[in-house]
Amino acid sequence: MAEFTLELNDDQKQVRDWLHGFAKDVIRPAASEWDEREETPWPVIQEAAKVGIYSLDFYAQQFFDPTGLGIPMAMEELFWGDAGIALSIVGTGLAAVGVLANGTEEQIGTWIPQMYGDADDVKVAAFCSSEPDAGSDVASMRTRAVYDQAKDEWVLNGTKTWATNGGIANVHVVVAVVDPELGSKGHASFIVPPDTPGLSQGQKFKKHGIRASHTAEVVLEDVRVPGHCLLGGKEKLDQRLARARERAATGGERVKNAAMATFEASRPAVGAMAVGTARAAYEVALDYAKTRTQFGRPIIDNQGVAFQLADMRTRIDAARLLVWRASWMATTGKPFESAEGSMSKLYASETAKKVTAQAVQILGGNGFTREYPVERMHRDAAIYTIFEGTSEIQRLVIARTLSGMPIR
């Protein structure tokens, strides 16, 4: 009988413990300061680069873990430290995934190293998909990319919003419309190289949570990029558009667009981030419940508190298992026939919101103050049900997958 195990191997345990130590010793002590400053924590990113966590090699090793657990394990540990700082460290990864999902081998080798820089000169990257009128509704995207055949250049115009590292990135990956008649199937992704004229940062958002992560608008005004900056190349794009037109004419099966391919690949990782935040809040609440006394005994002796902690731990473990299953399926090439990626992101996100709220409640008045980290964790957790597909969108994807309806 084939062996079945959920036990991490020795190498994975070593990496997990190393990341946990960095999160405990470097990220967590800096969390409150950078949350208050609402600025990119460059010194922490620099430290992560020096020890090898913020690097292409590290993420490649985790990405190619044959079990699929490398990335979710790393995300959970870093976000256990602090969600805002961790997102500043891993935010470049979404742009890298965009290139990995849609780019050629040459593009992957050229652009992903430039997204990270090195320990002496740290860089970040941004993935730009959402727009003021097109968040979950990617079919409403207005940013246009027009091909100038004479110069073999693409000209991009539009405004992106909610872009992590937007405007401060060395490399921007921009999703734009190349054929408006095809809706979301007429999109393509483009690399905007460093210092390209016409790209600028718009509004920087002051956020409820994950304040240490830079989020801003990206404005594109006649931005010209070389033809080789189209991810996948023009020949592949032309073939894909031709198939989409044929299917549209015959009412056939729809094909995936570039933005959705990136989001599908990253959803289990977002679920792992949520698990990390939930676990952190649960551990604070558990320690507090063991040491806080009321009426002469620790409050964990009260069923009202103990049962909450039992539910919190159960939800966290269930969320982690869903994330691990989806990550394993993605790595081993098993299709998400029941939208398992969306399931993992949905359940883990909702778990983070619920568990952090319960942690605040267990700490009572202390939980409502910034003297205790659960207040920040509760604010941070709100983002997980919103970005990279809201909980409502995840439910829509799951429902339509189960029913056989097309996912638009």
Side-chain angles (χ1 to χ4, degrees), residues 11 36 55 94 124 136 196 213 216 276 278 310 324 326 363:
D11 289 342
E36 293 287 347
S55 70
L94 185 58
V124 295
S136 298
T196 299
S213 173
W324 281 17
L363 269 66

Side-chain angles (χ1 to χ4, degrees), residues 1 8 22 25 39 52 147 173 183 185 213 221 223 258 281 300 306 320 326 374:
M1 180 180 293
L8 298 176
F22 184 84
D25 297 336
E39 297 174 358
Y147 185 57
V173 178
K185 310 311 170 188
S213 173
E221 297 179 310
V223 172
I300 198 171
R320 182 185 297 110
V374 292

Side-chain angles (χ1 to χ4, degrees), residues 44-308:
V44 183
I45 300 175
Q46 184 89 32
E47 189 64 27
K50 287 180 180 179
V51 300
I53 293 174
Y54 186 77
S55 70
L56 172 60
D57 288 344
F58 172 73
Y59 286 106
Q61 290 173 9
Q62 303 317 307
F63 184 83
F64 291 111
D65 182 329
T67 69
L69 302 185
I71 290 294
M73 180 186 64
M75 295 301 104
E76 180 177 337
E77 294 304 329
L78 293 173
F79 280 73
W80 174 89
D82 176 68
I85 292 177
L87 189 57
S88 286
I89 293 173
V90 308
T92 293
L94 185 58
V97 168
V99 176
L100 285 169
N102 302 295
T104 64
E105 289 187 8
E106 182 179 358
Q107 289 169 331
I108 292 170
T110 298
W111 296 111
I112 294 184
Q114 295 186 48
M115 294 179 175
Y116 289 95
D118 56 45
D120 296 322
D121 186 17
V122 170
K123 305 293 185 182
V124 295
F127 182 75
C128 307
S129 177
S130 294
E131 298 183 2
D133 296 320
S136 298
D137 182 13
V138 294
S140 297
M141 190 177 294
R142 296 181 180 178
T143 297
R144 290 293 309 275
V146 178
Y147 185 57
D148 183 342
Q149 187 171 1
K151 296 183 178 181
D152 186 26
E153 292 179 340
W154 289 89
V155 184
L156 280 62
N157 282 282
T159 299
K160 295 296 182 178
T161 193
W162 311 121
T164 298
N165 297 330
I168 66 171
N170 192 49
V171 177
H172 291 76
V173 178
V174 177
V175 182
V177 179
V178 295
D179 189 334
E181 295 182 359
L182 293 177
S184 62
K185 310 311 170 188
H187 296 176
S189 293
F190 299 86
I191 292 285
V192 179
D195 303 318
T196 299
L199 185 147
S200 62
Q201 179 183 307
Q203 175 187 5
K204 178 187 174 183
F205 296 103
K206 297 181 71 67
K207 304 187 299 293
H208 175 66
I210 54 168
R211 294 176 177 176
S213 173
H214 177 96
T215 310
E217 291 181 332
V218 174
V219 180
L220 304 134
E221 297 179 310
D222 292 329
V223 172
R224 286 183 168 269
V225 299
H228 62 77
C229 287
L230 166 65
L231 289 181
K234 194 167 187 307
E235 181 178 352
K236 183 178 178 180
L237 172 65
D238 290 341
Q239 293 173 353
R240 178 167 63 82
L241 294 178
R243 291 195 301 269
R245 294 186 190 104
E246 182 180 353
R247 288 186 173 94
T250 60
E253 182 182 357
R254 294 174 178 265
V255 295
K256 295 179 182 178
N257 64 69
M260 290 301 291
T262 300
F263 290 141
E264 284 185 7
S266 63
R267 276 172 180 159
V270 176
M273 298 173 189
V275 171
T277 299
R279 186 182 117 213
Y282 158 77
E283 290 176 1
V284 172
L286 177 63
D287 289 343
Y288 186 88
K290 288 178 177 179
T291 57
R292 173 68 168 172
T293 58
Q294 289 286 282
F295 305 106
R297 61 180 183 176
I299 62 173
I300 198 171
D301 286 351
N302 299 315
Q303 284 188 348
V305 173
F307 284 6
Q308 283 196 76

